[in-house]
Amino acid sequence: HSALTQPASVSGSPGQSITISCTGTSSDFGTFNYVSWYQQHPGKAPKLMIYEVTNRPSGVSNRFSGSKSGNTASLTISGLQAEDEGDYYCSSYTSSSTYVFGTGTKVTVL
Amino acid sequence: EVQLVESGGGLVQPGGSLRLSCAASGFTFNTYTMNWVRQAPGKGLEWLSYMSSSSSVIKYADSVKGRFTISRDNAKNSLYLQMNSLRAEDTAVYYCARDSPWGGTLDYWGQGTLVTVSS
């Protein structure tokens, strides 16, 4: 499984909404909806933001939401804030029972 | 509080070996599948391997199959990664990560340990 495809960068002004796409194949996404999104700040470990396509872990702001259509998953950040700057990675549990990550997207708050 | 603490990284020559450890606390380690993920400098995340709670199921990424070996000691709440025949392209921060209780998600990550392969 090659890496899932994400845009290299996305930017927005404070208060705006942005959407990050994550594209793969049907085997990348498997038969389960095990798509996750991770936020990573420089020098820090990734943090789980969305799991199973749409679910937020406890403590994650409801400004983060996920969706999936066909072989493309998406992460939307609404009401963009300075603290949302960082790198974002999608991930999927594949039909081969392995994990695959996206190429990563750098989010910049203008 | 879930904590994962990696150790064992450092500088190693090409062709050399290194063993990474991940000490887990704050949860019942012997009931969770555990993973290793790495990130080369300035690059993205790459999943490497997982081992089920009872060690009965093991998976590897093709990039490390035959060179890396995952193992665990449930009595010591520890996960390990034995890395052999190291190459320059193995230079990365290595993270251990816990599989979620429902599976298919890596819900907690350690802070990582840096492995540098260079002569």
Side-chain angles (χ1 to χ4, degrees):
Chain A
H1 296 268
S2 299
L4 304 172
T5 301
Q6 298 180 230
S9 63
V10 174
S11 61
S13 299
Q16 285 188 330
S17 294
I18 60 170
T19 296
I20 303 168
S21 61
C22 169
T23 301
T25 66
S26 55
S27 63
D28 288 333
F29 291 111
T31 56
F32 304 102
N33 281 326
Y34 286 146
V35 176
S36 305
W37 289 90
Y38 301 89
Q39 177 192 65
Q40 187 179 35
H41 290 132
K44 301 295 187 181
K47 174 188 175 184
L48 179 65
M49 304 301 284
I50 294 288
Y51 66 94
E52 290 181 1
V53 179
T54 60
N55 298 313
R56 277 187 313 275
S58 173
V60 172
S61 171
N62 59 9
R63 298 184 298 102
F64 292 84
S65 62
S67 63
K68 180 173 174 285
S69 178
N71 291 327
T72 297
S74 298
L75 173 72
T76 297
I77 309 174
S78 58
L80 199 61
Q81 299 180 2
E83 67 206 51
D84 299 332
E85 271 205 354
D87 296 324
Y88 289 80
Y89 294 91
C90 61
S91 172
S92 178
Y93 189 72
T94 76
S95 60
S96 304
S97 299
T98 60
Y99 284 97
V100 62
F101 286 97
T103 50
T105 298
K106 182 177 181 62
V107 169
T108 301
V109 181
L110 302 172
Chain B
E1 178 193 7
V2 172
Q3 284 200 326
L4 299 168
V5 180
E6 301 91 340
S7 61
L11 177 63
V12 60
Q13 292 188 337
S17 299
L18 210 56
R19 188 196 195 205
L20 305 183
S21 300
C22 171
S25 61
F27 64 101
T28 308
F29 180 75
N30 64 11
T31 65
Y32 285 84
T33 291
M34 296 296 296
N35 298 258
W36 287 100
V37 177
R38 71 183 177 185
Q39 186 172 34
K43 303 297 184 182
L45 300 170
E46 179 188 14
W47 174 81
L48 299 179
S49 179
Y50 70 64
M51 174 174 270
S52 64
S53 56
S54 62
S55 305
S56 59
V57 179
I58 297 173
K59 285 281 190 176
Y60 294 100
D62 289 343
S63 58
V64 301
K65 198 175 296 182
R67 297 190 302 125
F68 290 10
T69 302
I70 191 172
S71 62
R72 64 192 294 162
D73 185 336
N74 285 343
K76 295 183 177 180
N77 288 345
S78 292
L79 179 73
Y80 306 101
L81 186 67
Q82 177 67 43
M83 304 186 296
N84 298 330
S85 303
L86 285 163
R87 308 163 180 165
E89 54 265 37
D90 295 317
T91 293
V93 173
Y94 286 72
Y95 295 101
C96 69
R98 192 185 82 167
D99 237 58
S100 62
W102 53 88
T105 301
L106 304 180
D107 60 355
Y108 285 94
W109 298 60
Q111 286 303 304
T113 187
L114 176 63
V115 172
T116 303
V117 184
S118 175
S119 55

